[in-house]
């Protein structure tokens, strides 16, 4: 069973396949995400990747990286702090912040950092464990 202060770390690469897959699936073609010139005109270094790509990485962490597959996400809170760009390597860190054994609930605090160690997103995840 997970316990308070258990820590998980991994990295993700925001590849062109992930970017195109997100566009194909969800059809969010906002120019901030699809037009290099538009994004640069708005003060960014290039096209900004969809924030919900990070949610996909969280889903992978919960569904595939925990020591049990008997899990379900109850709540998820994410704050986007800085942009993520195509071909960025993103470093994910999560720590168990609370365990409520009576109802089989685990809460994590997490962050994503870019290769410059700048936080691009942070938040909390609460999961339930099936017995």
């Amino acid at each position: 069973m997970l316990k308070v202060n258990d820590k998980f770390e991994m990295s993700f690469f925001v590849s062109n396949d992930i970017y195109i897959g997100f566009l194909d699936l969800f059809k969010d073609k906002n120019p901030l995400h699809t037009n290099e010139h538009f994004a640069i005109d708005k003060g960014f270094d290039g096209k900004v990747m969809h924030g919900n790509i990070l949610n996909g990485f969280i889903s992978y962490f919960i569904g595939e990286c925990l020591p049990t597959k008997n899990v379900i996400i109850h709540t998820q809170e994410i704050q986007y702090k800085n942009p993520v760009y195509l071909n960025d390597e993103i470093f994910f860190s999560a720590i168990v912040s609370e365990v409520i054994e009576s109802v089989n609930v685990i809460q994590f605090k997490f962050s994503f950092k870019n290769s410059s160690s700048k936080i691009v997103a942070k938040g909390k995840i609460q999961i339930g464990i099936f017995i």
Side-chain angles (χ1 to χ4, degrees):
M1 181 67 164
L2 295 166
K3 58 189 179 313
V4 171
N5 293 324
D6 282 353
K7 190 170 186 177
F8 300 85
E9 296 179 322
M10 62 195 62
S11 64
F12 298 99
F13 183 71
V14 184
S15 68
N16 194 60
D17 286 345
I18 289 171
Y19 170 65
I20 296 300
F22 189 93
L23 286 174
D24 287 347
L25 285 170
F26 299 107
K27 312 297 185 217
D28 178 355
K29 301 210 165 103
N30 181 290
L32 184 64
H33 304 304
T34 58
N35 184 311
E36 193 85 17
H37 298 294
F38 180 90
I40 290 170
D41 286 346
K42 301 302 177 205
F44 296 97
D45 294 339
K47 293 183 289 191
V48 176
M49 296 296 98
H50 299 81
N52 280 318
I53 288 173
L54 299 180
N55 287 325
F57 296 149
I58 291 169
S59 180
Y60 171 80
F61 163 65
I62 296 298
E64 297 298 325
C65 300
L66 294 178
T68 179
K69 301 294 183 224
N70 297 330
V71 297
I72 187 168
I73 295 175
H74 289 168
T75 63
Q76 182 174 309
E77 173 189 314
I78 189 167
Q79 300 169 354
Y80 302 101
K81 300 294 190 178
N82 287 289
V84 173
Y85 299 103
L86 187 63
N87 297 320
D88 275 356
E89 185 172 15
I90 303 299
F91 301 93
F92 175 79
S93 176
I95 188 164
V96 175
S97 58
E98 188 174 5
V99 175
I100 307 169
E101 291 183 24
S102 61
V103 290
N104 299 313
V105 166
I106 309 288
Q107 184 163 298
F108 296 88
K109 290 183 180 178
F110 71 87
S111 67
F112 287 98
K113 293 182 180 179
N114 63 19
S115 59
S116 300
S117 295
K118 186 181 278 190
I119 293 177
V120 296
K122 66 179 188 171
K124 299 176 189 175
I125 311 158
Q126 180 180 300
I127 64 169
I129 308 276
F130 300 113
I131 297 182

